[in-house]
Amino acid sequence: MQIFEQYDPRNPKPEHQLLRFFESPMKTDGMDFYFIKQNSHFLVYRERVHTFPETSSRAGQSKLIANQIELPIPAIRWFIDVIEQKFFKPPEEGGLPAHKLSYEEEVAGETLHILRSMGAGCDHPGYTITNASRQSHMSSDDLQTLSLSDPWLFENGLMDYLKQLAEDYEQGRL
């Protein structure tokens, strides 16, 4: 399994193909997202600057908080299909049973998991994807995860963008 260094938008490597930058979909304390292709993987790097509150011993100081998830490129189509076929459809049409809020499958040799979240990194519900085959860059005790809110996915065009990426990959354009 290929190991990736964490992306640095201020010093990208030649092997990083920046596909798209998304400014934080949240108004305050949100993260900026960088969608990158590196070899046969799709990387989503996210970062934000945290300023410590006045009540903190580090009042006024800032710290960059950054992390990324690495997924095999076929996981883009898998993510779309799982949401549309497992979460949106009733059980009698192949969807998940009503009591089940997650789905796991191996994709291109990596174990991926999608969870329906009531707070997908913000005040909105959404989906959290975990790559159980890869450790977090922030803590080796955690797995790589990414939460995407319903408003960003379905009202602000992220799902449409992911569908276009999946099609580009399948047509050999990515």
Side-chain angles (χ1 to χ4, degrees):
M1 178 167 57
Q2 183 176 2
I3 303 298
F4 297 93
E5 289 182 30
Q6 187 163 283
Y7 178 73
D8 179 356
R10 284 153 291 288
N11 188 26
K13 303 248 189 292
E15 61 269 17
H16 294 142
Q17 179 186 353
L18 179 62
L19 301 172
R20 184 147 181 202
F21 166 75
F22 287 94
E23 191 170 346
S24 174
M26 295 172 51
K27 301 294 183 222
T28 59
D29 270 348
M31 293 204 160
D32 292 332
F33 290 78
Y34 296 79
F35 288 22
I36 302 119
K37 179 183 180 285
Q38 183 177 345
N39 303 327
S40 61
H41 278 71
F42 177 63
L43 285 56
V44 180
Y45 168 85
R46 57 216 185 269
E47 69 177 16
R48 73 178 173 93
V49 175
H50 172 74
T51 303
F52 291 89
E54 293 302 316
T55 56
S56 167
S57 63
R58 296 177 65 186
Q61 294 180 21
S62 295
K63 176 182 179 180
L64 180 68
I65 298 172
N67 207 355
Q68 79 183 19
I69 188 170
E70 301 138 11
L71 303 164
I73 293 175
I76 300 169
R77 174 63 67 197
W78 176 82
F79 177 79
I80 295 162
D81 289 347
V82 168
I83 289 176
E84 291 180 346
Q85 304 299 319
K86 299 294 182 188
F87 286 96
F88 286 1
K89 288 188 175 183
E92 57 273 6
E93 293 179 23
L96 294 173
H99 67 280
K100 193 140 165 74
L101 298 175
S102 66
Y103 183 79
E104 183 175 290
E105 192 171 2
E106 187 173 300
V107 178
E110 299 189 37
T111 302
L112 305 181
H113 180 260
I114 295 180
L115 171 70
R116 179 69 175 149
S117 326
M118 294 307 111
C122 62
D123 294 336
H124 298 283
Y127 297 88
T128 298
I129 185 169
T130 300
N131 187 334
S133 299
R134 295 181 178 272
Q135 301 304 121
S136 168
H137 288 268
M138 290 181 75
S139 168
S140 60
D141 293 335
D142 295 327
L143 299 173
Q144 293 182 4
T145 64
L146 174 66
S147 294
L148 302 169
S149 70
D150 286 351
W152 192 24
L153 280 166
F154 306 114
E155 297 165 21
N156 297 319
L158 181 58
M159 185 63 94
D160 292 334
Y161 175 68
L162 293 173
K163 287 179 180 181
Q164 185 60 56
L165 277 181
E167 183 178 321
D168 286 350
Y169 172 71
E170 292 159 359
Q171 298 298 317
R173 297 185 299 260
L174 179 66

